[in-house]
């Protein structure tokens, strides 16, 4: 203390001691007991009425779980609250596991209302997302789905991809022909350009195969032959419960442009027809729809 009153540096240090004490929820009595002095002495330190010695400053810093530099103002700011580290860490971890960096950033902003903290969270989630993408391709959770055989691109795929089944995509108004029909009769009923494929059925109305109209009109074929001799994909079928992923895999394996849909592997009664081009188009449309819903377009 000077002749004109407390020195401004002592007042500033006392103010930092008081702010740190209050931030920790300590009373002047709690701090006094930790230092082995009276609470009146703590009051004088906080007002700047008494100058804090070097040894006492070290004790105060230890009692307040801070640094001497923070109390004298040399580091420019108080140490970050542990809750700040927790918010930044949880945001980065969440983005690594489930993705959504902007979502996590806005949650931090809505929760704290602190723009500077939100900026720190934004930086952390961007770094976390980039590192995770480099290591796993997408988020950690999406990578785990890939290991289980789920070829999803993002969280937007998880729910709807199982709902997009063959039943929802197939055409029920398919054209059928008995497998014993002669080529001459088939050519009369289905001339070139009328359709691309016709589903052949046996005497019990069960699936027998697919007739490509172009194949049936090949000039080298005897008109007296039956269509069963030129059938394709006899043992490859789809079922209504298959997902679009399973259907596309069946198209790739059979190298087919269209496949018949039967009731079940044991019941080969034909219920529809699905083309690969239509399945892929529906998948792309649904993916784009979910993307727009996600970004609010």
């Amino acid at each position: 203390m000077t002749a004109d009153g407390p020195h401004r540096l002592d007042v500033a240090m006392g103010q930092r001691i008081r702010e740190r004490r209050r931030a920790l929820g300590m009373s002047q009595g709690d701090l006094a007991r930790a230092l082995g002095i009276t609470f009146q002495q703590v009051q004088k330190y906080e007002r700047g009425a008494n100058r804090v010695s070097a040894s006492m400053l070290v004790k105060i810093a230890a009692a307040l779980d801070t640094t001497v530099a923070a109390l004298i103002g040399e580091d420019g700011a108080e140490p970050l609250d542990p809750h700040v580290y927790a918010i930044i860490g949880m945001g980065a971890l969440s983005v690594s596991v489930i993705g959504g960096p902007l979502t996590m950033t806005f949650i931090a902003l809505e929760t704290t209302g602190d723009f500077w903290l939100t900026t720190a969270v934004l930086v952390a989630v961007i770094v976390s997302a980039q590192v995770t993408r480099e290591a796993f391709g997408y988020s950690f959770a999406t990578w785990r789905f890939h290991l289980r055989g789920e070829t999803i691109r993002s969280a937007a795929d998880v729910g709807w991809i199982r709902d997009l089944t063959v039943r929802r995509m197939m055409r029920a108004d398919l054209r059928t022909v008995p497998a014993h029909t002669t080529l001459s009769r088939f050519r009369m009923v289905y001339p070139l350009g009328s359709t691309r494929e016709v589903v052949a059925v046996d005497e019990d109305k069960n699936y027998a195969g697919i007739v490509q109209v172009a194949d049936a009109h090949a000039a080298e074929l005897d008109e007296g032959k039956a269509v069963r001799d030129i059938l394709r994909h006899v043992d490859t079928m789809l079922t209504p419960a298959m997902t679009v992923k399973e259907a596309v895999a069946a198209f790739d394996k059979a190298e087919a442009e269209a496949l018949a849909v039967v009731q079940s592997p044991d019941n080969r009664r034909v219920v529809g027809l699905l083309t690969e081009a239509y399945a892929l188009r529906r998948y792309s449309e649904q993916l784009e729809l979910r993307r727009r819903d996600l970004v609010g377009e």
Side-chain angles (χ1 to χ4, degrees):
M1 180 180 292
T2 65
D4 298 328
H7 194 280
R8 61 181 182 84
L9 295 180
D10 295 330
V11 174
M13 183 185 299
Q15 183 178 358
R16 284 189 286 271
I17 292 173
R18 181 172 58 254
E19 290 175 353
R20 180 60 180 170
R21 174 179 59 77
R22 289 177 175 176
L24 296 178
M26 296 177 64
S27 66
Q28 290 180 335
D30 294 334
L31 180 56
R33 284 189 292 272
L35 299 176
I37 59 178
T38 64
F39 78 91
Q40 291 90 346
Q41 188 64 35
V42 172
Q43 288 179 338
K44 293 178 180 179
Y45 286 152
E46 292 185 353
R47 294 200 309 268
N50 285 3
R51 179 166 296 174
V52 182
S53 66
S55 59
M56 182 55 69
L57 184 59
V58 173
K59 289 182 180 180
I60 294 175
L64 296 179
D65 192 24
T66 186
T67 63
V68 172
L71 295 180
I72 64 178
E74 287 188 352
D75 62 352
E78 291 287 327
L80 284 176
D81 190 292
H83 295 92
V84 172
Y85 291 115
I87 293 173
I88 296 173
M90 286 190 294
L93 178 61
S94 299
V95 168
S96 178
V97 174
I98 63 175
L102 289 180
T103 300
M104 295 304 166
T105 303
F106 285 122
I107 288 176
L109 177 60
E110 293 177 2
T111 303
T112 65
D114 190 328
F115 286 99
W116 289 109
L117 175 57
T118 302
T119 302
V121 172
L122 178 60
V123 173
V125 299
I126 290 175
V127 173
S128 177
Q130 187 62 31
V131 171
T132 304
R133 183 173 290 272
E134 291 292 333
F136 302 110
Y138 296 97
S139 69
F140 180 78
T142 305
W143 173 69
R144 292 296 299 172
F145 276 115
H146 287 181
L147 292 184
R148 297 179 184 180
E150 298 285 352
T151 54
I152 61 176
R153 301 182 184 179
S154 68
D157 283 339
V158 175
W160 65 265
I161 195 171
R162 291 182 176 83
D163 296 332
L164 188 58
T165 61
V166 170
R167 189 189 308 276
R168 295 178 56 187
M169 297 184 293
M170 70 181 187
R171 285 173 40 203
D173 58 337
L174 73 162
R175 301 180 181 184
T176 61
V177 63
H180 61 267
T181 303
T182 62
L183 289 178
S184 60
R185 176 63 180 171
F186 183 89
R187 291 170 179 175
M188 185 184 306
V189 177
Y190 299 106
L192 283 172
S194 61
T195 186
R196 295 184 61 178
E197 56 271 323
V198 179
V199 177
V201 295
D202 59 18
E203 292 79 4
D204 298 325
K205 304 298 183 180
N206 292 326
Y207 174 71
I210 292 181
V211 183
Q212 294 287 340
V213 174
D215 293 347
H217 284 267
E220 64 271 14
L221 294 179
D222 183 1
E223 292 185 348
K225 295 180 64 175
V227 295
R228 66 165 55 93
D229 297 327
I230 60 171
L231 294 179
R232 297 190 181 189
H233 315 304
V234 176
D235 297 320
T236 305
M237 303 155 287
L238 303 176
T239 60
M242 283 184 172
T243 64
V244 62
K245 185 189 78 169
E246 294 169 333
V248 171
F251 283 121
D252 289 340
K253 183 177 180 180
E255 298 182 356
E257 296 181 358
L259 288 174
V261 183
V262 299
Q263 289 185 354
S264 68
D266 298 327
N267 185 351
R268 293 167 62 100
R269 185 63 57 91
V270 180
V271 296
L273 183 74
L274 180 64
T275 64
E276 181 183 28
Y278 183 73
L280 292 175
R281 186 169 79 247
R282 284 292 304 276
Y283 177 82
S284 298
E285 289 173 353
Q286 290 295 320
L287 185 62
E288 179 63 16
L289 179 61
R290 294 310 187 279
R291 187 194 67 80
R292 290 182 177 181
D293 290 342
L294 191 64
V295 299
E297 293 183 359

